[in-house]
Amino acid sequence: MYWALHEPEKAREYLELAYQDGIKNHNILSVQMSLMNLAETEAEMQQYESALEKYNKAEVIAREQDFRYQHSNILANKARLQSNLGNHTEALRIYKEALAVVENYNLATQLPNLLTLQAQTYIELKEHDRAISILNEAIPLAKKNEAK
């Protein structure tokens, strides 16, 4: 709510409380989700190193606990952050990892968005033909998901 009101400091404060509460109550999903949301908030606040640290911690939890959907989301967010920072090669490596998670666990609803984000990175690299090819793959998948 506070993020929507453009109060990222307040949002971070409450996310920290949720994180601590998750630890206190041994709620690993709450801990993982709080870390992911803290990372997003800090990335928006341009606190990139801290955001990457939190993404990495959230990723470890998601992988160890087999939180498949969250794992692919974290990877996508990490890759997007790397791309925004100009680290396109690292972003593409992480997108490849995220695509493997999505494909291994048949998370079909996440595939179009992930492919679109990957295509944006190729656009940044001025590899437009590759981006178009990826988008041509993403569009029918998105339509298929909408039909469900």
Side-chain angles (χ1 to χ4, degrees):
M1 178 173 101
Y2 286 102
W3 185 249
L5 297 173
H6 304 288
E7 296 184 43
E9 289 291 337
K10 199 70 156 167
R12 182 169 56 184
E13 179 183 329
Y14 282 101
L15 287 167
E16 286 283 352
L17 289 172
Y19 172 73
Q20 294 301 326
D21 189 57
I23 290 173
K24 178 182 168 188
N25 292 307
H26 307 287
N27 184 335
I28 197 70
L29 180 60
S30 178
V31 169
Q32 186 269 319
M33 295 295 290
S34 296
L35 284 167
M36 189 171 73
N37 288 321
L38 278 163
E40 279 296 299
T41 300
E42 290 178 351
E44 292 295 328
M45 296 169 67
Q46 300 179 348
Q47 296 174 353
Y48 304 122
E49 290 300 318
S50 182
L52 284 171
E53 286 176 20
K54 287 181 177 65
Y55 277 138
N56 289 336
K57 288 179 182 179
E59 181 188 352
V60 168
I61 294 169
R63 188 175 46 247
E64 289 176 353
Q65 299 296 315
D66 201 26
F67 297 155
R68 299 167 184 179
Y69 184 84
Q70 291 90 339
H71 189 192
S72 64
N73 273 346
I74 293 162
L75 289 169
N77 291 339
K78 258 175 62 170
R80 185 173 38 108
L81 177 57
Q82 290 290 358
S83 187
N84 290 342
L85 293 172
N87 303 326
H88 301 302
T89 302
E90 178 65 5
L92 290 172
R93 184 195 67 73
I94 297 169
Y95 281 130
K96 185 176 180 180
E97 188 179 344
L99 285 166
V101 170
V102 166
E103 290 171 5
N104 286 341
Y105 294 109
N106 196 26
L107 303 172
T109 58
Q110 291 190 284
L111 195 52
N113 184 51
L114 189 54
L115 289 169
T116 301
L117 291 170
Q118 183 184 44
Q120 288 174 340
T121 301
Y122 280 110
I123 290 169
E124 291 294 321
L125 291 169
K126 304 205 182 324
E127 292 186 32
H128 299 106
D129 290 340
R130 185 100 184 248
I132 289 169
S133 175
I134 292 168
L135 290 171
N136 284 335
E137 181 182 350
I139 291 168
L141 294 171
K143 287 180 179 179
K144 183 178 176 183
N145 287 342
E146 286 176 4
K148 289 183 179 180

